[in-house]
Amino acid sequence: DENAGRTADVINRTRPDFVRLRTLQIFQATPLEEAVQNGDFIDVEEEDVVREIRNLIAGITVSTRIISDSATNLVDVNGNALSDRDAMLEKLDAYLALGPREKLLFGLRSRLSAFIGQYGELSPEIFAAIRLWIRDGKLDCSGADVAGLRQTIRLIRNRLMP
């Protein structure tokens, strides 16, 4: 991953106190969304973002704090790039080892948690999107189709503050 390698090189040379991770979120009705629709910008899949973060952390050779405190980040990894590296990589590898459907379910749960963390509860719009998947007060997506999961994740991501 060329971008992660180059970024790790800069971090290794500059030795910052911390590195804050931010995953790009393309919001509705923005020039970037228009660029995506026109084919001028290609957004990457969440799995590719996680892989890039993994490669970045693996390439850092200096003691710097990794901070993943943005609601746009799928997998929260926080710690020292050297002393906590193995634990952070394990967390990222666990996500990468999931099957395609499990990755979607992980993404849905992660996004729901981030939304509730920001706003304290689900919005009526998001609740309406998941209400068919709630059984006995718990989220049960066993009957959810892939398109519905993707659409719901996109809805939640569009409502999160970065």
Side-chain angles (χ1 to χ4, degrees), residues 26-147:
I26 300 170
F27 291 99
Q28 294 176 324
T30 62
L32 190 52
E33 182 191 43
E34 186 177 319
V36 169
Q37 291 171 347
N38 294 336
D40 297 327
F41 183 87
I42 299 171
D43 194 13
V44 297
E45 296 292 324
E46 290 195 308
E47 180 176 348
D48 296 325
V49 173
V50 172
R51 190 171 284 107
E52 186 171 25
I53 291 169
R54 189 212 187 283
N55 292 338
L56 171 67
I57 292 170
I60 297 173
T61 59
V62 296
S63 181
T64 187
R65 185 130 187 92
I66 304 295
I67 302 171
S68 174
D69 61 352
S70 173
T72 61
N73 296 340
L74 178 63
V75 181
D76 288 330
V77 285
N78 295 283
N80 182 282
L82 296 182
S83 61
D84 300 318
R85 176 192 322 275
D86 290 343
M88 290 188 288
L89 294 179
E90 276 181 35
K91 198 170 189 180
L92 295 163
D93 288 340
Y95 170 81
L96 293 169
L98 295 173
R101 183 172 178 83
E102 288 77 21
K103 284 180 178 140
L104 282 174
L105 295 173
F106 181 98
L108 177 63
R109 288 185 180 95
S110 174
R111 301 310 182 191
L112 285 169
S113 177
F115 190 91
I116 292 169
Q118 280 188 343
Y119 299 105
E121 62 186 2
L122 296 177
S123 70
E125 179 183 30
I126 293 173
F127 183 78
I130 67 166
R131 72 180 158 75
L132 295 177
W133 304 332
I134 297 176
R135 292 185 184 41
D136 299 323
K138 295 181 182 174
L139 191 62
D140 176 5
C141 299
S142 57
D145 66 339
V146 169

